[in-house]
């Protein structure tokens, strides 16, 4: 039992800092402030507080006061449990608030462990959470006889914020309708704008057609045996433009196309003799002729393409120069407009072997049917082992940034697009390094807050809109899977045999379906390669329509945008691969918007002006431009007389090289700051 002892004055050697104890709350308030360190209390002879944070006021006749103001949020411990204090007997109170109305925060009497010559410790320890800028008062009273002339410490530990709560969660459900060996896709197969669930076997295409009112209509379509199965990748696109989606199976030794008939009830199996070790595959209009081609990454040789001849035939071509390293190493191609010049470029994720073989490549579209690898000058020629990269505008500044996902042995990289054909490594401090490693890296706004997220190998990196992310590694989602809207609620779900329903939140959204036209002067039927842009009061978001991203799965061809708490959209704008531009003002939110290229209001016959002068005209090689407008960052497009786009690039000067064009009549279009000007010229 603690006893009242005769007062014994002791001289103690202290490590006292500048702050001292004071005789009242008001006196302490107007005096120096304590921080982390060791302090001394001499004779306790100040004012007694009006209340006590530990025990009662019996035998208390005096107290000492110390002011403490934290410089950050800290977990603070105040302790007299020091060897130098021997047999001292202390009691501690911690207050905050104003001197006339103090609030107890913490207090203690005998929590110490040091006993001196006593059988028990009578020293004090109290810990509390201190908030930046709040004023606290450390008060020692004289309840016990041997309570003066002692040291105490203040220690500060930065508080660890509680882990963030994911803004959406997912619920996994068994999906018995999926009966194939390869559960690969969430994509609209029948042109009703709803994502369907696709599962593949050697002689069956299992499609669970989504029903607008809820549920699925399960159909098993028997096919002739596929020579090659989608063991490595699956791509989807309507390359014959009949309104029904075709499929590309990428295997370890070849490629099979499954071509849907004109009512979607059957497929024709088409396999070539080419030995292609297929990794990622895509449908994309490589040569911008209005017809969908196919591109296939080759693991052990340069990548290959299958060029659409305009009559619904895909013709093998192995001379495209894209992913052209002699021994391959080509793992995942993603087609993006990284330089905002309104034509489609391509990033090649590389893996395996020597440094040269696994050096990533960025191919810039030169606007004339050729491509140039500018990865080294862009700072994207990384040698990390990556199977795919997620491209999206992660800071909502109007251009595509890159998350280069590591598959093994390296950290992920986050690269910010500088808008000048270069990228800056902003990985440090971004949070991405804690995401899981693996093969699949795909962008998507899963919580519909208007800030793009990343699905990375079972992690979701929820974006903050500033190139930083909150990473969640324990959500109920698959490590790999297809992404789409399975229940038409505007939120992105997942599928890899089971379905993973997004439990959603209150944020708003819009889903955009692009219906292009096919043929000379138009885009492909899916609008693949189109840039979709939306504008709200919070700014502008962009997406590119892609067939084939990540590594293995086929994700929705619809473009999904979250808009957070916004209740209106100013406009949706589609930059079609054909060069047409279409703007839809004030579209409905929480709805599907179908944008059809045939309704585009801009054509090459519009907006001919007299203040855009071209000379010499006719010309043999170079066009000079004379206009009163500022042409900085302008984009020029040259169309032939049939309306086909033949040149496209950003305007670097007031001259354009047209020397490679055939003789004939052309139309030049200049787009700058929302203005569009057209003018005719003749190439001799």
């Amino acid at each position: 039992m603690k006893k009242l002892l005769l007062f014994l004055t002791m001289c103690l050697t202290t490590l006292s800092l500048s702050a001292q104890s004071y005789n009242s709350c008001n006196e302490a308030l107007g005096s120096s402030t304590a921080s982390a360190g060791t302090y001394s209390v001499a004779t306790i002879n100040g004012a007694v507080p009006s209340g006590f944070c530990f025990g009662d006021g019996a035998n208390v006749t005096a107290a000492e006061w110390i002011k403490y103001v934290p410089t950050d949020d800290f977990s603070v411990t105040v302790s007299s449990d020091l060897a130098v204090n021997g047999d001292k007997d202390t009691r501690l109170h911690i207050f905050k608030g104003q001197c006339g109305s103090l609030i107890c925060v913490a207090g203690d009497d005998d929590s110490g462990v040091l006993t001196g010559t006593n059988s028990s410790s009578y020293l004090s320890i109290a810990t509390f959470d201190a908030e930046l800028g709040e004023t606290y008062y450390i008060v020692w009273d004289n309840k016990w006889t041997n309570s003066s002339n002692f040291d105490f410490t203040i220690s500060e530990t930065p508080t660890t914020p509680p882990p963030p709560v994911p803004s959406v969660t997912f619920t996994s459900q068994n999906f018995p309708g999926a009966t194939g060996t390869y559960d690969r896709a969430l994509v609209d197969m029948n042109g009703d704008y709803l994502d369907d669930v696709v599962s593949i076997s050697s002689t069956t295409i299992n499609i669970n057609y989504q029903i607008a009112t809820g549920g699925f209509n399960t159909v098993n379509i028997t096919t002739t045996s596929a020579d090659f199965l989608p063991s490595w990748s699956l791509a989807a696109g309507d390359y014959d433009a009949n309104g029904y989606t075709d499929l590309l199976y990428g295997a370890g030794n070849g490629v099979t196309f499954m071509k849907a008939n004109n009512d979607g009830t059957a497929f024709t199996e088409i396999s070539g003799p080419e030995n292609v070790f297929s990794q990622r595959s895509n449908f994309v209009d490589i040569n911008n002729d209005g017809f969908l081609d196919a591109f296939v990454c080759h693991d052990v040789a340069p990548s290959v393409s299958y060029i659409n001849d305009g009559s619904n035939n895909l013709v093998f071509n192995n001379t495209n120069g894209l992913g052209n390293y002699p021994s391959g190493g080509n793992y995942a191609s993603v087609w993006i407009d990284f330089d905002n010049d309104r034509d489609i470029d391509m990033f090649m994720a590389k893996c395996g072997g020597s440094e040269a073989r696994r050096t990533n490549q960025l191919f810039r579209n030169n606007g004339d049917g050729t491509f140039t690898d500018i990865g080294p000058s862009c700072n994207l020629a990384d040698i990390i082992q990556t199977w795919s990269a997620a491209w999206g505008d992660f800071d909502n500044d109007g251009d595509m940034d890159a998350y280069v996902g590591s598959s093994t042995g390296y950290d992920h990289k986050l690269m910010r697009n500088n808008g000048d054909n270069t990228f800056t490594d902003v990985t440090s401090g971004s949070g991405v390094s804690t995401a899981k490693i693996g093969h699949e890296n795909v962008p998507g706004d899963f919580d519909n807050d208007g800030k793009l997220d990343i699905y990375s190998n079972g992690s979701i990196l929820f974006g903050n809109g500033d190139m930083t992310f909150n990473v969640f590694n324990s959500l109920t989602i698959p490590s790999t899977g297809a992404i789409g809207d399975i229940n038409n609620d505007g939120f992105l779900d997942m599928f890899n045999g089971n379905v993973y329903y997004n439990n959603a939140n209150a944020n708003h959204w819009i889903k955009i379906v692009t219906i292009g036209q096919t043929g000379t002067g138009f885009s492909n039927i899916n609008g693949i390669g189109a840039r979709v842009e939306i504008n709200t009061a919070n700014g502008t978001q962009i997406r590119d329509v892609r067939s084939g991203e990540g590594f293995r799965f086929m994700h929705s061809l619809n473009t999904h945008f979250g808009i957070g708490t916004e209740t209106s959209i100013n406009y949706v704008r589609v930059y079609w691969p054909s060069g047409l531009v279409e703007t839809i003002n004030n579209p409905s939110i929480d709805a599907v918007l179908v944008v059809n290229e045939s309704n585009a209001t801009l054509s090459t016959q519009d907006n001919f002006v007299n203040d855009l002068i071209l000379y010499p005209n006719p010309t043999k090689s170079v066009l000079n431009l004379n206009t009163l407008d500022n042409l900085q960052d302008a984009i020029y497009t040259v169309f032939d007389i049939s309306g086909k786009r033949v040149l496209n690039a950003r305007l670097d000067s007031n001259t354009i090289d047209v020397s490679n064009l055939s003789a004939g009549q052309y139309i030049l279009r200049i787009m700058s700051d929302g203005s569009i000007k057209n003018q005719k010229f003749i190439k001799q």
Side-chain angles (χ1 to χ4, degrees):
M1 174 183 252
K2 183 180 294 189
K3 298 179 180 178
L4 292 174
L5 304 176
L6 294 176
F7 179 79
L8 175 64
T9 301
M10 299 181 61
C11 293
L12 300 174
T13 301
T14 70
L15 301 173
S16 177
L17 301 181
S18 59
Q20 303 176 13
S21 63
Y22 298 92
N23 286 335
S24 69
C25 179
N26 285 322
E27 185 179 334
L29 178 62
S31 303
S32 58
T33 299
S35 58
T38 302
Y39 301 89
S40 291
V41 175
T43 302
I44 297 179
N45 58 5
V48 177
S50 59
F52 301 91
C53 301
F54 197 97
D56 57 34
N59 302 313
V60 179
T61 61
E64 290 293 306
W65 298 73
I66 300 94
K67 180 178 67 174
Y68 167 74
V69 182
T71 57
D72 204 339
D73 292 341
F74 292 121
S75 175
V76 177
T77 298
V78 180
S79 174
S80 64
D81 191 36
L82 307 173
V84 69
N85 291 331
D87 297 325
K88 293 295 180 177
D89 194 350
T90 61
R91 193 171 74 156
L92 170 64
H93 314 275
I94 312 286
F95 300 95
K96 71 176 182 179
Q98 298 180 353
C99 287
S101 56
L102 294 173
I103 302 170
C104 277
V105 175
D108 184 60
D109 195 353
D110 299 331
S111 293
V113 298
L114 300 172
T115 62
T117 61
N118 299 313
S119 60
S120 301
S121 177
Y122 300 143
L123 300 172
S124 311
I125 305 172
T127 299
F128 64 99
D129 290 331
E131 299 178 3
L132 169 67
E134 179 73 71
T135 300
Y136 298 87
Y137 298 95
I138 300 169
V139 179
W140 302 93
D141 68 30
N142 68 343
K143 181 176 180 65
W144 309 113
T145 302
N146 196 14
S147 60
S148 293
N149 297 302
F150 63 91
D151 288 358
F152 74 92
T153 59
I154 301 174
S155 60
E156 299 171 332
T157 303
T159 55
T160 302
V165 176
S167 46
V168 289
T169 58
F170 295 78
T171 297
S172 174
Q173 292 186 14
N174 179 262
F175 195 72
T179 59
T181 305
Y182 301 97
D183 301 314
R184 288 286 189 263
L186 289 177
V187 66
D188 178 14
M189 294 294 294
N190 59 351
D192 63 358
Y193 319 140
L194 300 172
D195 291 328
D196 306 311
V197 182
V198 182
S199 184
I200 307 296
S201 298
S202 60
T203 59
T204 303
I205 298 176
N206 169 249
I207 306 175
N208 284 268
Y209 293 102
Q210 187 179 162
I211 301 171
T213 55
F216 300 89
N217 177 30
T218 302
V219 177
N220 289 299
I221 300 175
T222 301
T223 68
T224 55
S225 183
D227 288 355
F228 310 105
L229 288 166
S231 54
W232 287 98
S233 67
L234 179 74
D238 185 6
Y239 77 82
D240 61 350
N242 68 351
Y244 293 89
T245 299
D246 312 303
L247 302 174
L248 187 167
Y249 299 175
N253 55 344
V255 174
T256 287
F257 295 94
M258 286 291 182
K259 183 177 178 182
N261 69 357
N262 289 333
D263 61 7
T265 61
F267 289 83
T268 300
E269 190 264 352
I270 304 170
S271 301
E274 302 85 24
N275 187 355
V276 180
F277 191 163
S278 170
Q279 303 287 343
R280 177 72 266 174
S281 52
N282 317 94
F283 280 109
V284 61
D285 186 359
I286 298 173
N287 55 6
N288 199 47
D289 64 353
F291 300 95
L292 272 183
D293 313 304
F295 182 83
V296 183
C297 293
H298 204 323
D299 191 335
V300 297
S303 293
V304 303
S305 56
Y306 295 80
I307 301 301
N308 197 318
D309 65 0
S311 298
N312 303 330
N313 302 304
L314 294 174
V315 181
F316 178 73
N317 182 308
N318 64 351
T319 60
N320 55 56
L322 298 167
N324 56 357
Y325 192 73
S327 66
N330 307 301
Y331 271 59
S333 47
V334 56
W335 295 79
I336 40 78
D337 179 13
F338 86 92
D339 54 0
N340 286 354
D341 65 354
R342 309 309 177 205
D343 55 27
I344 201 75
D345 314 295
M346 191 266 281
F347 177 80
M348 179 69 74
K350 307 278 286 190
C351 188
S354 65
E355 288 191 0
R357 187 177 187 270
R358 67 174 191 266
T359 298
N360 296 331
Q361 297 177 289
L362 177 64
F363 293 93
R364 181 183 64 202
N365 192 325
N366 298 319
D368 59 0
T370 65
F371 295 80
T372 301
D373 180 12
I374 61 170
S377 63
C378 282
N379 197 29
L380 284 175
D382 295 302
I383 60 171
I384 68 175
Q385 298 275 74
T386 181
W387 286 42
S388 66
W391 281 76
D393 187 6
F394 301 120
D395 53 2
N396 284 352
D397 68 346
D399 51 35
M400 293 289 177
D401 312 297
Y403 169 82
V404 184
S406 172
S407 62
T408 180
Y410 299 86
D411 290 332
H412 309 298
K413 292 191 71 173
L414 185 66
M415 306 297 291
R416 182 184 66 221
N417 191 331
N418 299 320
D420 60 359
N421 288 345
T422 66
F423 290 76
T424 297
D425 187 345
V426 294
T427 307
S428 178
S430 67
V432 303
S433 60
T434 61
K436 298 178 181 178
I437 64 172
H439 303 161
E440 294 288 344
N441 302 284
V442 185
D445 189 356
F446 294 94
D447 55 1
N448 281 350
D449 65 349
K451 302 168 185 176
L452 202 58
D453 313 313
I454 302 170
Y455 173 50
S456 180
N457 309 296
S459 303
I460 292 184
L461 291 66
F462 287 101
N464 298 312
D466 59 359
M467 302 298 286
T468 67
F469 297 82
N470 295 322
V471 179
F472 289 85
N473 293 322
S474 301
L475 295 170
T476 305
I477 57 175
S479 59
T480 60
I483 300 170
D485 185 0
I486 304 176
N487 53 0
N488 200 32
D489 65 350
F491 285 78
L492 293 173
D493 312 297
M494 300 178 185
F495 166 69
N496 75 342
N498 288 348
V499 293
Y500 297 79
Y501 287 105
N502 191 323
N503 292 323
N505 56 31
N507 286 336
H508 299 293
W509 53 273
I510 188 170
K511 181 163 55 179
I512 298 164
V513 180
T514 48
I515 307 294
Q517 306 300 298
T518 298
T520 301
F522 292 104
S523 308
N524 60 86
I525 191 67
N526 298 119
I528 292 168
R531 166 64 57 84
V532 183
E533 176 181 292
I534 73 167
N535 179 268
T536 71
N538 280 334
T540 300
Q541 299 181 59
I542 59 173
R543 304 281 193 273
D544 290 335
V545 183
R546 304 167 187 163
S547 171
E549 49 185 331
F551 178 72
R552 177 167 281 128
F553 295 85
M554 179 63 207
H555 313 290
S556 177
L557 284 170
N558 301 328
T559 52
H560 292 71
F561 293 87
I563 60 172
T565 59
E566 292 293 316
T567 57
S568 63
I569 297 172
N570 296 328
Y571 66 79
V572 171
R573 183 167 294 146
V574 179
Y575 297 90
W576 294 98
S578 64
L580 301 179
V581 182
E582 186 170 359
T583 300
I584 300 92
N585 294 314
N586 303 310
S588 298
I589 67 169
D590 300 334
V592 177
L593 174 66
V594 180
V595 184
N596 198 312
E597 188 180 19
S598 65
N599 298 324
T601 57
L602 172 67
S603 76
T604 56
Q605 302 304 312
D606 298 329
N607 302 311
F608 285 95
V609 294
N610 294 321
D611 61 347
L612 175 61
I613 300 173
L614 309 181
Y615 65 96
N617 189 8
T619 183
K620 293 183 178 180
S621 58
V622 174
L623 273 178
N624 296 286
L625 281 62
N626 188 352
T627 178
L628 296 176
D629 286 351
N630 180 9
L631 297 181
Q632 184 176 1
D633 293 326
I635 296 169
Y636 74 87
T637 306
V638 177
F639 301 87
D640 67 17
I641 201 65
S642 70
K644 179 183 179 182
R645 188 174 74 176
V646 293
L647 284 177
N648 191 87
R650 190 172 298 279
L651 192 66
D652 296 324
S653 66
N654 281 26
T655 62
I656 299 173
D657 184 358
V658 295
S659 58
N660 290 329
L661 296 180
S662 302
Q665 296 186 39
Y666 295 90
I667 298 169
L668 171 68
R669 186 183 69 191
I670 303 292
M671 298 182 62
S672 178
D673 294 329
S675 116
I676 301 170
K677 296 184 176 185
N678 296 317
Q679 196 57 272
K680 296 178 181 178
F681 71 94
I682 297 173
K683 168 65 171 42
Q684 293 180 320

